[in-house]
Amino acid sequence: HIERSKTLKLALVSTCLDILHVNGLKNDKLGEKWLSEAIDINRALGVRNMLLPFFGARALETQLERDYVADLLRNIAPKAEKAQVTLGLENTNSAGENLRIIFRSKTRAVKVFYDVGNSFSRGHDIYREIPLLGRERICQFHLKDNPSLLGQGGIHFPTVLSLIEQIEYRGFADLETSSPSRNVAVDMAKNLGYLRSLMGA
């Protein structure tokens, strides 16, 4: 994959520890094992950001669960720091709840993989949360407004992009969009065209 990415001139910007959808960090020791091994894999790949998903039955629904995961991350933080791997929390929690996890973990290796679609659909004020977290605590963005095309749903993307610029974020933003027309190429072109028009590109 590394050689293929170089041939295509396509950067590997992050990985996702998808197995955490099965072995959640909040209550499954296997999740801890996979996380430790995944840090080694990220280091070997030369990829900085690793997405840690917390959804469905693995979601962090109580303060006790969030504190448990924060303590777990604090324990594994030295390994992540040494490998220069950032552990990105993706969930439906509020920015405040994620900040508590970050502060309790006591490491710069834990940040938020901020998904505007997940947060907006959960009722969080994304226009307040992006500045609240800031560039120091957001490792990467997911841009989506499923099931709509970008700009055709409830999220005001001109404001989102303006806020991303205001916090001076310089990392990657991934499109995790659905395909309303069921033609992925067509819908992706529309989404990219829309974002580029907002960016003046």
Side-chain angles (χ1 to χ4, degrees):
H1 293 300
I2 296 175
E3 292 305 317
R4 182 64 171 161
S5 69
K6 290 178 180 178
T7 300
L8 295 173
K9 296 182 180 180
L10 184 66
L12 299 177
V13 299
S14 62
T15 61
C16 173
L17 191 52
D18 191 61
I19 192 64
L20 295 186
H21 286 110
V22 178
N23 305 120
L25 284 179
K26 72 177 185 180
N27 58 8
D28 192 330
K29 292 295 182 181
L30 267 178
E32 297 180 44
K33 177 179 183 293
W34 303 142
L35 175 56
S36 179
E37 292 181 1
I39 290 173
D40 294 328
I41 294 170
N42 260 56
R43 182 178 185 178
L45 288 171
V47 178
R48 176 122 195 179
N49 294 335
M50 184 196 309
L51 188 161
L52 308 183
F54 298 89
F55 297 104
R58 282 69 183 174
L60 303 178
E61 297 177 343
T62 68
Q63 192 58 61
L64 186 64
E65 291 174 345
R66 291 189 286 273
D67 287 349
Y68 175 84
V69 167
D71 293 343
L72 183 158
L73 295 175
R74 182 173 60 202
N75 290 336
I76 204 167
K79 181 173 184 176
E81 291 170 1
K82 185 176 180 180
Q84 295 187 316
V85 172
T86 298
L87 308 176
L89 311 171
E90 187 185 18
N91 50 41
T92 52
N93 295 103
S94 69
E97 289 168 339
N98 278 322
L99 282 173
R100 174 163 173 156
I101 294 173
I102 291 172
F103 294 150
R104 188 178 175 103
S105 69
K106 297 182 179 180
T107 175
R108 289 176 174 247
V110 175
K111 298 187 179 184
V112 176
F113 204 119
Y114 195 80
D115 188 309
V116 298
N118 290 344
S119 296
F120 184 82
S121 65
R122 188 71 176 218
H124 302 311
D125 184 350
I126 62 175
Y127 313 112
R128 183 187 68 85
E129 289 197 334
I130 292 172
L132 178 62
L133 291 167
R135 68 174 180 176
E136 295 300 320
R137 299 189 183 97
I138 296 176
C139 64
Q140 207 160 320
F141 280 91
H142 273 165
L143 302 182
K144 70 185 182 199
D145 197 0
N146 297 339
S148 303
L149 293 171
L150 300 183
Q152 296 183 17
I155 296 177
H156 192 255
F157 278 94
T159 300
V160 169
L161 294 189
S162 176
L163 290 170
I164 290 174
E165 183 177 10
Q166 285 175 34
I167 67 172
E168 299 183 341
Y169 174 78
R170 294 293 181 267
F172 285 88
D174 311 319
L175 300 191
E176 200 181 41
T177 50
S178 52
S179 178
S181 75
R182 299 186 181 276
N183 187 321
V184 174
V186 169
D187 289 344
M188 183 59 76
K190 288 180 180 178
N191 284 324
L192 284 172
Y194 172 70
L195 289 177
R196 286 171 175 157
S197 71
L198 295 180
M199 298 169 68

